[in-house]
Amino acid sequence: MEQANTVEDYLKKLSRYDIYNNVFYRGQSEKYKNITSSVSRDVGYTMNESSIYTEAIKMRTMEFDGLTSPIECLSKMQHYGIPTRLVDLTIDPLIALFFAVQKVDCKSHGNVFVFVQPEHSLNDKRVKLLSHLATLKSLKIDVIKSSYIERYSENITEDEILEFASKGAFIKHSVELQKSNERLFCQKGTFAICGNEIIGREIKKTVLPLNSIEPTMVIRIPFEHKQAVKKELDEKYNINETTIYPELPSVADYLKEKYKKVDFDLEGTYSILEVKDMSNSGARRCSIVAVLNKVLRIEEIKNIGIQIIDQYKSANDVVWVYIAKNGDDYIMRNWMIRGQWIRESLDPRCKPHLIGDMDELGYIWRFEKSYSTLADYYDEYSFTDDKILYTQNMKTFEKFEPHYKFMLNAFESGNMKDLEEYAIDNAGDITKLFLKFGDYGHSRNNEFDKYLNSFQEVALHLDNIVLWVKKEELNSHTKRYLISNCFRDAKLHFNRIKEQAMYWKKTINLSEDEYNKIDPEKIKRQEYQYKQTIPLNPDGLDVTFNLDISQNIDNTLNIRGTTNLFDQASLMISLRNSKGLLLAQNKSLVENGIFDFGKLGKKGIGFDKGKYKVDITLAIPSVQNEEFLLKAGLEYENLKGKYVDRTGIGPTISYTEEFEI
């Protein structure tokens, strides 16, 4: 999920899909977790779908005159609010955005779902089958098959029925649909028709939600920005209730909301948690951190920032204010908005850099563009149970402590040679431990989280000592001074860990038995997993590689080759020895089916005799050239074969070859 605070942000995120014609949009409130058709919202509707269809036509025969197919009849029913298996979509991203932010008083965020999917005409076999299912009392395959042939005078196989029935279909925007649903013209609308749950080879009555098909992107408009975005749609793009809904009551709704005056009282809406003096010799400066006590709109939050700044600007030349939505965001320093004020008469040499744009009153603002989605990420991936956090950090600290004590003792004894040799020999372990401390996550208890930060801090200073030791260009005096500073700071955190260990163990109610049972190595944190959202092209390019590896006189290597990948594909080569040690890397663009990584290895040194492995990779789409993506697709949906990997953080291609010199 991504976040957009303005229409400009929103359109910029969508611009990556400009290469596709088959893009569909659905805007709705985030309080609705699924995109469901109206017939699936009540079990009574689902079990009686065919009766609803038949009775609606009988009761209003005149309305359905001239409509010859089930999909046209379903479209008419959708217009009048009769439960159907259709889901409203639009091909206009701004109209979808309107539906996402329409109800500005609803505290829920607004979401726009983006689908890049094959589009089907009304006469497509898949659409005819899915709409035909809505008319049948029995969903037995033999009944479906015989009635389909009778209705459409067209044969259909059992395998086709099972395949088509199990998945939804996205219907191409067309004039034909508008004759059965007048509102579609105003909304540049179309539909998706939902499929059924299938168990084994049995088709169930249950109608699946549309988001059983993975959306290509979901864009969130946070509640705080919904009203501003809706106003922007009206003023810049003439998209509002009156243009979306042609009926007269929409005019009343539009005018009432447009001219409604809302009084707002800032009392009790926020709490100040931090005030820090940041003054220097040139200016009096302070920084204030506040957390909201209720959900507010962005203009109201901005007024809070102004109120806070105004309380402190008389005694300061520079004031910064940071506002978080809640306690979790405060812990993670995940700000919604940052404000700044600088006294106009302050010496220019003492003025800090502006954090954003200055408004007409002289306040500078930065509206963060990912605070809402980051909060979701932190909630899912960063916050962990306190007992697990304590145990992970403390047991890793037990492995870290001998390194710290040996190096500190060597330094304080003046044995710089012992220190340097030990640091170099154990550099890998020290760095690995430092990274482990940083990967364990955070506590929602702010004071406990600060304590946990000491584990990472002491490891960071020891890791920095290793870096200074390796700096050959530093003289001994400078090196000792820098290392001394690292040990000074490391001691503070090391002592804090020792002094407060039992206090926090007791505070979080961690028993010795629980501590002994927790194994940090067996606790796996959830990681992001890529999902393919654009359907794979069955006729896509089956990727091939051919390598030409040649050895030069100085034992360096030239590696070039051919591939059927499209031009401008950016390839990376990695050369490793038999032990897996990385020896060389380089990049090459594919031109006319040829790539050339040039000379690998240091001149005059080259490579020894032995076995080597070369890996050639095509990185994820986000770092590829646009010319290449136009043919390969944004999710490499037009590439296939044994070298394509669709796991991890995104689709990649990897080719490996072993050789000997």
Side-chain angles (χ1 to χ4, degrees), residues 314-440:
S314 61
N316 290 279
D317 301 305
V318 181
V319 180
W320 290 278
V321 61
Y322 302 84
I323 301 177
K325 188 172 184 175
N326 52 43
D328 285 0
D329 286 348
Y330 165 65
I331 289 171
M332 301 305 297
R333 293 333 216 198
N334 182 26
W335 314 120
M336 302 175 69
I337 183 174
R338 306 184 195 200
Q340 184 184 43
W341 173 83
I342 304 171
R343 189 178 302 282
E344 192 174 350
S345 60
L346 184 62
D347 188 330
R349 293 172 298 179
C350 300
K351 289 184 177 180
H353 293 296
L354 302 187
I355 63 170
D357 298 322
M358 182 179 292
D359 64 17
E360 65 279 2
L361 299 176
Y363 301 97
I364 302 102
W365 302 103
R366 177 171 172 175
F367 302 97
E368 300 299 339
K369 294 184 178 181
S370 58
Y371 68 86
S372 179
T373 50
L374 274 177
D376 287 349
Y377 177 85
Y378 293 142
D379 182 58
E380 187 170 0
Y381 297 106
S382 295
F383 288 107
T384 306
D385 178 81
D386 285 349
K387 292 182 179 181
I388 292 175
L389 283 172
Y390 179 92
T391 306
Q392 286 178 312
N393 279 279
M394 194 58 71
K395 287 188 175 180
T396 301
F397 182 72
E398 290 169 5
K399 298 177 182 178
F400 171 83
E401 188 173 359
H403 294 300
Y404 171 82
K405 287 186 172 180
F406 182 93
M407 292 171 66
L408 178 62
N409 182 63
F411 179 75
E412 291 182 338
S413 302
N415 297 324
M416 289 297 292
K417 185 178 179 181
D418 288 351
L419 169 63
E420 293 183 6
E421 287 180 354
Y422 187 90
I424 292 171
D425 290 342
N426 294 275
D429 287 343
I430 293 170
T431 299
K432 192 180 295 183
L433 291 168
F434 163 60
L435 294 175
K436 278 189 175 184
F437 285 128
D439 195 46
Y440 286 146

Side-chain angles (χ1 to χ4, degrees), residues 561-593:
T562 60
T563 179
N564 62 347
L565 279 171
F566 306 114
D567 281 358
Q568 296 303 302
S570 178
L571 301 177
M572 166 75 82
I573 189 170
S574 299
L575 181 65
R576 301 177 187 274
N577 63 16
S578 58
K579 295 181 179 179
L581 180 65
L582 179 64
L583 303 176
Q585 282 186 316
N586 207 352
K587 292 182 179 181
S588 176
L589 290 178
V590 174
E591 296 280 0
N592 299 318

Side-chain angles (χ1 to χ4, degrees), residues 172-232:
K172 185 177 182 179
H173 177 70
S174 64
V175 175
E176 293 97 311
L177 272 179
Q178 292 171 13
K179 70 181 181 182
S180 58
N181 192 323
E182 300 166 11
R183 192 176 286 178
L184 290 183
F185 176 77
C186 297
Q187 299 175 2
K188 295 185 181 177
T190 184
F191 303 111
I193 182 166
C194 295
N196 288 64
E197 181 185 14
I198 295 180
I199 299 177
R201 295 180 69 84
E202 183 182 355
I203 300 175
K204 298 292 186 179
K205 287 280 189 179
T206 306
V207 177
L208 297 171
L210 182 63
N211 55 328
S212 60
I213 299 172
E214 192 74 27
T216 303
M217 175 189 278
V218 181
I219 301 178
R220 171 188 287 164
I221 297 81
F223 165 76
E224 295 82 15
H225 292 275
K226 278 168 60 176
Q227 187 176 58
V229 168
K230 188 176 182 183
K231 183 178 180 182
E232 189 179 356

Side-chain angles (χ1 to χ4, degrees), residues 246-306:
E247 300 86 355
L248 184 60
S250 64
V251 176
D253 294 337
Y254 170 72
L255 293 175
K256 285 191 290 185
E257 183 179 308
K258 182 175 181 179
Y259 294 106
K260 182 180 180 181
K261 185 178 184 298
V262 179
D263 295 320
F264 178 67
D265 183 6
L266 295 181
E267 185 70 28
T269 57
Y270 66 94
S271 300
I272 293 177
L273 300 188
E274 292 180 17
V275 179
K276 291 184 179 179
D277 186 350
M278 310 288 286
S279 299
N280 57 27
S281 58
R284 296 166 298 165
R285 314 188 313 176
C286 75
S287 169
I288 304 102
V289 173
V291 172
L292 299 182
N293 296 329
K294 60 188 297 187
V295 178
L296 304 171
R297 295 189 175 95
I298 198 65
E299 281 302 315
E300 297 165 341
I301 298 169
K302 183 178 173 182
N303 287 335
I304 287 175
I306 292 173

Side-chain angles (χ1 to χ4, degrees), residues 132 142-157 161:
H132 181 60
D142 58 343
V143 173
I144 296 170
K145 184 176 181 179
S146 60
S147 60
Y148 180 92
I149 294 171
E150 182 181 349
R151 180 184 291 276
Y152 295 113
S153 300
E154 178 183 49
N155 194 31
I156 190 168
T157 67
I161 290 172

Side-chain angles (χ1 to χ4, degrees), residues 364-633:
I364 302 102
W365 302 103
R366 177 171 172 175
F367 302 97
E368 300 299 339
K369 294 184 178 181
S370 58
Y371 68 86
S372 179
T373 50
L374 274 177
D376 287 349
Y377 177 85
Y378 293 142
D379 182 58
E380 187 170 0
Y381 297 106
S382 295
F383 288 107
T384 306
D385 178 81
D386 285 349
K387 292 182 179 181
I388 292 175
L389 283 172
Y390 179 92
T391 306
Q392 286 178 312
N393 279 279
M394 194 58 71
K395 287 188 175 180
T396 301
F397 182 72
E398 290 169 5
K399 298 177 182 178
F400 171 83
E401 188 173 359
H403 294 300
Y404 171 82
K405 287 186 172 180
F406 182 93
M407 292 171 66
L408 178 62
N409 182 63
F411 179 75
E412 291 182 338
S413 302
N415 297 324
M416 289 297 292
K417 185 178 179 181
D418 288 351
L419 169 63
E420 293 183 6
E421 287 180 354
Y422 187 90
I424 292 171
D425 290 342
N426 294 275
D429 287 343
I430 293 170
T431 299
K432 192 180 295 183
L433 291 168
F434 163 60
L435 294 175
K436 278 189 175 184
F437 285 128
D439 195 46
Y440 286 146
H442 291 267
S443 167
R444 284 190 161 89
N445 180 329
N446 187 47
E447 290 305 312
F448 182 49
D449 198 64
K450 289 178 181 178
Y451 171 72
L452 295 176
N453 187 57
S454 287
F455 290 91
Q456 188 176 7
E457 284 292 323
V458 70
L460 170 64
H461 292 303
L462 213 65
D463 196 51
N464 285 337
I465 290 170
V466 173
L467 294 177
W468 294 131
V469 164
K470 291 181 177 180
K471 292 280 187 181
E472 296 178 357
E473 66 272 20
L474 296 177
N475 62 52
S476 59
H477 179 76
T478 302
K479 186 178 290 189
R480 183 174 179 84
Y481 172 76
L482 293 170
I483 291 173
S484 175
N485 287 341
C486 289
F487 274 124
R488 179 198 63 203
D489 294 334
K491 275 184 181 180
L492 296 175
H493 295 286
F494 182 89
N495 292 339
R496 186 183 184 202
I497 291 169
K498 288 290 193 177
E499 291 165 2
Q500 298 185 18
M502 293 309 297
Y503 166 79
W504 283 113
K505 188 175 182 180
K506 183 177 179 181
T507 300
I508 64 175
N509 197 27
L510 175 65
S511 69
E512 191 64 25
D513 186 52
E514 288 175 309
Y515 180 84
N516 291 330
K517 285 181 179 179
I518 296 174
D519 184 354
E521 300 302 323
K522 292 183 178 179
I523 298 172
K524 302 297 181 185
R525 293 180 61 197
Q526 188 173 349
E527 295 181 353
Y528 172 79
Q529 176 62 53
Y530 163 78
K531 295 179 181 178
Q532 185 79 25
T533 67
I534 301 176
L536 300 178
N537 180 1
D539 300 318
L541 183 70
D542 198 338
V543 179
T544 62
F545 287 96
N546 289 290
L547 290 192
D548 177 19
I549 303 172
S550 59
Q551 188 174 2
N552 300 309
I553 297 175
D554 59 358
N555 290 332
T556 57
L557 296 175
N558 282 103
I559 300 181
R560 57 178 66 89
T562 60
T563 179
N564 62 347
L565 279 171
F566 306 114
D567 281 358
Q568 296 303 302
S570 178
L571 301 177
M572 166 75 82
I573 189 170
S574 299
L575 181 65
R576 301 177 187 274
N577 63 16
S578 58
K579 295 181 179 179
L581 180 65
L582 179 64
L583 303 176
Q585 282 186 316
N586 207 352
K587 292 182 179 181
S588 176
L589 290 178
V590 174
E591 296 280 0
N592 299 318
I594 298 171
F595 55 87
D596 189 342
F597 294 107
K599 184 179 290 189
L600 300 176
K602 292 183 179 180
K603 185 177 180 181
I605 301 176
F607 301 101
D608 298 328
K609 291 180 180 180
K611 293 182 179 180
Y612 294 86
K613 184 173 76 171
V614 61
D615 293 309
I616 295 177
T617 56
L618 177 79
I620 57 176
S622 60
V623 300
Q624 292 293 334
N625 296 298
E626 185 176 348
E627 180 182 337
F628 172 71
L629 291 179
L630 284 170
K631 296 180 179 179

